[in-house]
Amino acid sequence: MRKVLVITYYWPPAGGPGVQRWLKFVKYLRDFDVEPVLYIPENPHYPLIDNTFLKDIPNDLIIYKHSIKEPYRLASLFSSKKKTKRISSGIIKSKNQSFIEKIFLWIRGNLFIPDARRFWIKPSVNYLKGVLEKEGIDTIITTGPPHSVHLIGYYLKQTKAVNWIADFRDPWTTIGYHKKLKLTSSSEKKHKRLESTVLNSADKIIVTSATTKREFQKITNQPIQVITNGFDGNVSGNQNLDKKFTISHIGSMLTGRNPIKLWQVLSELLKQNSEFKSALQLQFIGVISDDVLQSLNVLGLQNHIEVIGYVSHKKALEYQKASQILLLVEIDSQETIGIIPGKLFEYMAAKRPILGVGPKNWEVADIVSDTKSGCIFEYSDDIALKNVLLDWFAQFQKGELSVSSKDIEHYSRRELTRKLAEYI
């Protein structure tokens, strides 16, 4: 059985989507003759905690830890806990930023390159040299963001004869929030230089979308494999569906993810159809931005909203299976066409119709179309969106709203791990 060292910042009890990818890979790698050894921070600053993930960690998994110095603890001395938590989790407001938030963003973008976890790089490299020798490991895998984790892999490769695989859960310089970091021209160049260094130094690269693969192929000739995120467990629906016509969004509905046309269509249907008005309920499980709430209120939807907030992953899965419709939204930008939210695959496994709103040529649209798991619309669509909602509502009234999806088993975590093991 081949040993590999997996270097990751996010690990249970961290919550959110960032932890799940490698938690699930580690869960199944041994089934394919790969023995994972973990390296994680000893004292991380996780903005979200979910202890339910702990049960997925193999009991005899070898885990190495080393302390990390993070500036977010210092930031909390100068700002409210809420603002600090929002910034550290990547939630960046596009307007109405306070002076302190503007300062923090400038500092984050220009003084902490590639990110605020950069102080973990040097001590990790020194520590891991001994770990590699002790464990007899010749293959390392780094996963980012934070992309500073990839620099640990880069410097290890400079000093040790190792095979290095760099896994990008998200793009680096082309991700949506990158432009919001108030970067100077020199900082922008440094980010691009580091990105190029990593892509051209790693022996193999993994990405989560075909779009990111095409972007990276313009920078490097190294082999690139697309391994998407996925769902864990069995594909199964829920017979105990909500009595209301619930349209549920699971996860963070951040600034920029504000599908005004959808809200307008729902507002029109409330006025035109009394039965629709009695049945509609919008559920937001997770963080929702003030911009989105304001838009909903302006359009008269405030009495049909339930903001539940962050819940454990286990509870989120329960909400998914009980909902009538699952809402998936991405920022309307060319930069986001390759962003495939991890929850898409769990939505598919819940066997409920997916209603997506995103940019033109969004890669998600192909996946949803191929699996026949729902409908995806652009931000400008309204007539087609309204017709689908009316059709789904008519099925709901008859107790027949369902989805006949196909081939989603390819996105199970175990099958994706098989693909990973073959690539390793």
Side-chain angles (χ1 to χ4, degrees), residues 167-408:
D167 172 62
F168 286 82
R169 301 190 312 276
D170 286 319
W172 190 327
T173 60
T174 58
I175 197 166
Y177 65 74
H178 195 72
K179 289 183 177 179
K180 298 180 182 180
L181 293 178
K182 305 183 186 299
L183 300 174
T184 64
S185 59
S186 61
S187 295
E188 178 65 30
K189 289 177 182 177
K190 188 170 183 180
H191 272 285
K192 287 185 178 295
R193 186 167 63 251
L194 289 173
E195 178 185 49
S196 178
T197 296
V198 168
L199 290 175
N200 285 286
S201 300
D203 295 286
K204 295 179 180 179
I205 298 159
I206 302 173
V207 294
T208 57
S209 74
T211 303
T212 303
K213 179 178 180 176
R214 288 192 294 270
E215 290 175 356
F216 284 177
Q217 284 175 327
K218 297 175 182 177
I219 304 173
T220 183
N221 292 320
Q222 298 297 85
I224 304 175
Q225 176 74 284
V226 176
I227 303 179
T228 66
N229 290 306
F231 65 89
D232 201 16
N234 299 320
V235 177
S236 61
N238 186 353
Q239 301 303 315
N240 299 314
L241 295 171
D242 293 331
K243 302 303 180 185
K244 288 275 193 176
F245 186 59
T246 46
I247 302 176
S248 299
H249 182 273
I250 316 292
S252 298
M253 180 72 87
L254 306 181
T255 296
R257 294 176 187 164
N258 193 6
I260 298 295
K261 285 290 185 182
L262 172 60
W263 308 148
Q264 290 175 342
V265 166
L266 291 174
S267 180
E268 291 174 9
L269 289 173
L270 290 178
K271 297 172 183 176
Q272 297 169 359
N273 189 321
S274 59
E275 293 180 335
F276 188 89
K277 183 176 181 179
S278 299
L280 177 65
Q281 179 168 296
L282 291 169
Q283 276 190 159
F284 296 95
I285 296 92
V287 177
I288 180 170
S289 75
D290 294 337
D291 296 347
V292 175
L293 283 173
Q294 184 178 1
S295 298
L296 291 165
N297 291 338
V298 167
L299 289 167
L301 294 165
Q302 63 270 22
N303 294 330
H304 300 270
I305 298 171
E306 184 178 12
V307 179
I308 295 170
Y310 182 77
V311 299
S312 70
H313 182 245
K314 179 181 178 181
K315 190 66 178 176
L317 294 178
E318 292 175 4
Y319 277 114
Q320 288 175 24
K321 291 183 178 181
S323 299
Q324 295 292 342
I325 296 172
L326 294 169
L327 177 62
L328 189 71
V329 182
E330 190 47 81
I331 296 170
D332 187 18
S333 168
Q334 177 68 21
E335 297 166 340
T336 61
I337 62 173
I339 299 297
I340 305 176
K343 60 176 163 275
L344 166 64
F345 307 103
E346 293 183 340
Y347 278 13
M348 292 193 299
K351 299 288 285 186
R352 300 306 305 152
I354 297 170
L355 175 65
V357 181
K360 184 178 181 179
N361 299 321
W362 191 19
E363 199 169 325
V364 164
D366 293 333
I367 296 175
V368 170
S369 176
D370 291 344
T371 57
K372 300 186 182 302
S373 52
C375 295
I376 304 295
F377 300 91
E378 296 176 25
Y379 271 73
S380 58
D381 291 336
D382 51 8
I383 296 176
L385 176 57
K386 187 174 185 178
N387 289 337
V388 166
L389 282 170
L390 284 171
D391 180 46
W392 284 353
F393 182 64
Q395 293 179 45
F396 160 77
Q397 288 182 301
K398 298 175 184 176
E400 299 174 353
L401 180 57
S402 61
V403 63
S404 299
S405 53
K406 65 171 189 174
D407 299 331
I408 65 175

Side-chain angles (χ1 to χ4, degrees), residues 96-109:
N96 299 323
Q97 292 177 349
S98 68
F99 175 75
I100 196 70
E101 284 176 307
K102 292 177 181 178
I103 292 295
F104 281 160
L105 281 177
W106 189 93
I107 292 173
R108 172 185 169 183

Side-chain angles (χ1 to χ4, degrees), residues 53-66:
F53 286 142
L54 293 169
K55 64 177 175 56
D56 283 328
I57 302 175
N59 292 330
D60 53 350
L61 178 69
I62 297 174
I63 301 179
Y64 289 92
K65 300 179 182 181
H66 198 280

